[in-house]
């Protein structure tokens, strides 16, 4: 998971006021997030304690849907969407695996089978590697 971004008619919303208060996770939610929304930039002990990535994402994007989703609901939604769309499994079912080459259309069509809408597939220009899939 990279993030859950609310939008309004195609306009990404971010850093909405008032900024919500972030409450550090513990117990099951902490473990679920740590497993599914990995904070790769940080050492594990620091990441679990300080939760910098989740804090950042919630303040930047969760702030824009706080009237509808509180912090727990926002992160629960992210985890449910990950499970619902399971992009890694979807790509594997379409025989798209890391380390091989595929066309943009092959990846696009595979993801569309679960998203039912056109996904936003992004690749790097130089190395032509898949970097992000937005649904």
């Amino acid at each position: 998971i990279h993030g859950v971004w609310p939008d309004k008619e195609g306009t990404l919303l971010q850093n909405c006021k008032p900024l919500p208060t972030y409450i550090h996770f513990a117990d099951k939610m902490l473990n679920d997030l740590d497993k599914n929304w990995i904070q790769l930039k940080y050492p594990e002990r620091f990441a679990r304690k300080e939760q910098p990535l989740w804090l950042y994402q919630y303040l930047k994007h969760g702030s824009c849907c706080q009237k509808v989703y509180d912090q727990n609901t926002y992160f629960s939604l992210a985890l449910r969407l990950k499970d619902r769309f399971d992009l890694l499994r979807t790509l594997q079912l379409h025989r798209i695996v890391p380390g091989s080459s595929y066309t943009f259309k092959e990846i696009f069509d595979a993801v569309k089978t679960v998203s039912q809408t056109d996904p936003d597939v992004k690749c790097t220009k130089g190395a032509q590697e898949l970097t992000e899939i937005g649904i």
Side-chain angles (χ1 to χ4, degrees):
I1 299 174
H2 178 129
V4 176
W5 301 313
D7 69 42
K8 185 174 183 178
E9 299 174 16
T11 302
L12 262 171
L13 302 173
Q14 53 189 14
N15 300 313
C16 297
K17 304 293 183 209
L19 282 180
T21 300
Y22 179 85
I23 300 166
H24 286 74
F25 289 106
D27 303 323
K28 184 177 179 344
M29 181 63 91
L30 173 63
N31 292 332
D32 288 347
L33 286 170
D34 197 41
K35 178 182 173 189
N36 294 287
W37 197 336
I38 302 167
Q39 302 180 86
L40 291 173
K41 287 186 173 183
Y42 307 98
E44 183 178 2
R45 182 174 290 152
F46 174 82
R48 286 181 61 91
K49 183 176 184 231
E50 300 299 326
Q51 305 173 10
L53 175 62
W54 308 327
L55 167 67
Y56 174 80
Q57 288 295 322
Y58 187 61
L59 295 181
K60 185 170 183 178
H61 301 295
S63 63
C64 298
C65 60
Q66 62 185 314
K67 290 181 182 174
V68 180
Y69 300 117
D70 65 16
Q71 179 179 322
N72 280 339
T73 307
Y74 173 81
F75 285 98
S76 293
L77 173 64
L79 295 173
R80 283 195 317 272
L81 289 171
K82 179 193 178 288
D83 289 342
R84 178 178 173 195
F85 293 106
D86 197 347
L87 296 180
L88 185 57
R89 179 157 168 67
T90 298
L91 294 172
Q92 290 170 340
L93 287 172
H94 287 86
R95 294 184 169 83
I96 298 172
V97 296
S100 298
S101 296
Y102 305 94
T103 66
F104 178 89
K105 183 172 177 13
E106 288 172 316
I107 296 169
F108 183 94
D109 290 346
V111 173
K112 191 170 179 175
T113 65
V114 293
S115 68
Q116 303 301 311
T117 61
D118 292 347
D120 182 17
V121 178
K122 294 181 181 167
C123 303
T124 58
K125 290 182 182 178
Q128 296 184 340
E129 293 177 343
L130 178 64
T131 57
E132 184 175 312
I133 299 173
I135 53 173

